[in-house]
């Protein structure tokens, strides 16, 4: 019984704190670099109007890749139509490949 009350009280306190937070408060940031990198990558695709094309595997990532100048620091062959899942995984495992993750 006490456990249920404690959980309920904690949830009410959490919701009250969230409701009291100012609307201009900064959004919550991911707890690790990989997650922050994924969010930045998805945001970049969205800003460029490429998110839907990326989801449909219609982006040749070689057009965005340059090992020195970036924004993707890799040497990709022409026709590198990667799945969005593969690109997201690279953001998690190799954030240094992406300028927006720096």
């Amino acid at each position: 019984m006490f456990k249920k009350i404690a959980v309920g009280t904690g949830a009410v306190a959490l919701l009250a704190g969230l409701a009291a937070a100012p609307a201009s408060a900064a959004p919550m940031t991911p707890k690790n670099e990989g997650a922050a990198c994924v969010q930045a990558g998805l945001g970049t695709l969205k800003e460029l109007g490429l998110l839907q094309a990326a989801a449909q595997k219609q982006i040749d990532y070689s057009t965005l890749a340059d090992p020195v100048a970036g924004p993707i620091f890799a040497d990709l062959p022409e026709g590198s139509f990667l799945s969005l899942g593969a690109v997201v995984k690279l953001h998690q495992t190799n954030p240094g490949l992406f300028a927006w993750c720096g």
Side-chain angles (χ1 to χ4, degrees):
M1 180 73 173
F2 282 109
K3 189 174 184 177
K4 287 182 181 179
I5 292 172
V7 170
T9 303
V12 169
L14 176 62
L15 290 174
L18 290 174
S24 62
M28 294 179 65
T29 56
K31 292 184 180 184
N32 65 55
E33 183 181 355
C37 185
V38 169
Q39 283 187 345
L42 292 173
T44 300
L45 287 171
K46 187 175 179 180
E47 286 173 13
L48 296 173
L50 298 174
L51 188 56
Q52 184 173 355
Q56 296 172 345
K57 211 173 163 182
Q58 295 178 347
I59 295 177
D60 181 357
Y61 287 95
S62 71
T63 63
L64 300 171
D66 183 304
V68 177
I72 299 175
F73 300 106
D75 186 19
L76 297 174
E78 187 176 331
S80 292
F81 293 93
L82 306 171
S83 71
L84 185 55
V87 175
V88 165
K89 188 168 188 165
L90 283 171
H91 279 74
Q92 294 170 329
T93 59
N94 299 294
L97 288 175
F98 305 95
W100 45 84
C101 295

